[in-house]
Amino acid sequence: GGAFAPPCGQRVCRAEDLCIGITTEQDNTQLVVQVHFERHAFETLKSRMSLEKIVAVDVWQNWLCIFLQGDKLNPILWGELHGQCMPFLTSWHMASAEGKMRQRQNNFSLYSPVLEVRVRKSLGSQGIWPKPFAQCVQAKLMVQRWYEGKPRFEGLPDVPTARRAGYDLDEPDFWDNVEEYCRETVKKIGHSTAPKAVAA
């Protein structure tokens, strides 16, 4: 399980194949988390399956997880809320983004699809939170294929990007996970073999 779990046969795609941004908004009664999709990739997926088969949202009183179906090991966003919410009042829908996120599209004269997740703050947590999440990680986002140098789009500021989990020998993050696992294991249990003499 965990970082070395086998890939799920039901995986639709990876966050970095689809997502170009993550933003948040809040008022006294709700937190809105927005996941922005690259229009062409999103339309290609939508032509094959319903939205419910592409994306999913899990909400607890203190936690929020947004992920692509079949790839929950690598959520788009996984965070502990800065306050408590009422999970049963959470809603989500698709909209079109304006401003900065629309300008991330290859052609920003067309619509810019965004998933908006509205989390209702519990009565004891209403008001403006200092920040949306007490702690949080986000997935790697899409590479800006139409720009020279091809950097990745940036997600939420000051939020770490998680390595991809799962058993995939072609994924660079897999080998980073292996290296970290070996390093942490050696720290805990030490070496189990004596050093060998170097042959002349």
Side-chain angles (χ1 to χ4, degrees):
F4 305 110
C8 176
Q10 301 300 314
R11 189 177 77 188
V12 174
C13 68
R14 304 175 302 173
E16 61 194 274
D17 299 325
L18 183 66
C19 301
I20 61 172
I22 304 171
T23 53
T24 63
E25 299 174 357
Q26 64 167 314
D27 59 26
N28 287 328
T29 62
Q30 68 177 349
L31 169 68
V32 182
V33 180
Q34 300 152 325
V35 179
H36 303 265
F37 300 132
E38 195 276 322
R39 185 185 59 260
H40 178 71
F42 177 73
E43 288 181 343
T44 299
L45 279 175
K46 279 280 289 173
S47 69
R48 303 199 326 252
M49 60 190 69
S50 66
L51 182 62
E52 290 76 13
K53 291 185 177 180
I54 298 173
V55 69
V57 180
D58 284 347
V59 188
W60 299 265
Q61 194 172 39
N62 293 91
W63 293 85
L64 173 68
C65 182
I66 304 173
F67 59 97
L68 295 171
Q69 293 283 17
D71 199 22
K72 195 173 182 180
L73 272 178
N74 299 287
I76 299 171
L77 182 76
W78 169 261
E80 179 185 4
L81 299 172
H82 207 279
Q84 294 187 339
C85 75
M86 295 181 280
F88 59 93
L89 292 179
T90 299
S91 63
W92 56 275
H93 71 281
M94 292 300 302
S96 179
E98 300 298 332
K100 180 180 177 181
M101 289 299 157
R102 180 186 284 264
Q103 293 173 15
R104 290 189 176 188
Q105 299 288 346
N106 188 21
N107 181 351
F108 51 80
S109 66
L110 302 176
Y111 86 106
S112 182
V114 55
L115 173 72
E116 291 192 344
V117 180
R118 296 182 178 272
V119 179
R120 298 286 295 187
K121 298 176 180 179
S122 64
L123 294 179
S125 290
Q126 290 187 353
I128 302 299
W129 296 346
K131 54 183 180 178
F133 298 100
Q135 56 179 326
C136 183
V137 294
Q138 60 190 337
K140 291 178 184 176
L141 301 186
M142 201 172 194
V143 171
Q144 302 179 49
R145 297 190 301 267
W146 44 89
Y147 289 107
E148 187 176 355
K150 299 182 180 180
R152 288 190 185 277
F153 288 110
E154 295 180 355
L156 289 172
D158 303 319
V159 171
T161 299
R163 292 193 191 119
R164 278 197 60 80
Y167 187 83
D168 183 354
L169 300 182
D170 296 324
E171 170 59 55
D173 283 350
F174 173 81
W175 298 107
D176 290 337
N177 288 329
V178 169
E179 182 179 350
E180 181 178 3
Y181 174 81
C182 294
R183 183 169 58 249
E184 293 302 316
T185 300
V186 169
K187 284 181 183 178
K188 291 177 182 177
I189 65 175
H191 294 281
S192 58
T193 58
K196 297 179 180 180
V198 179

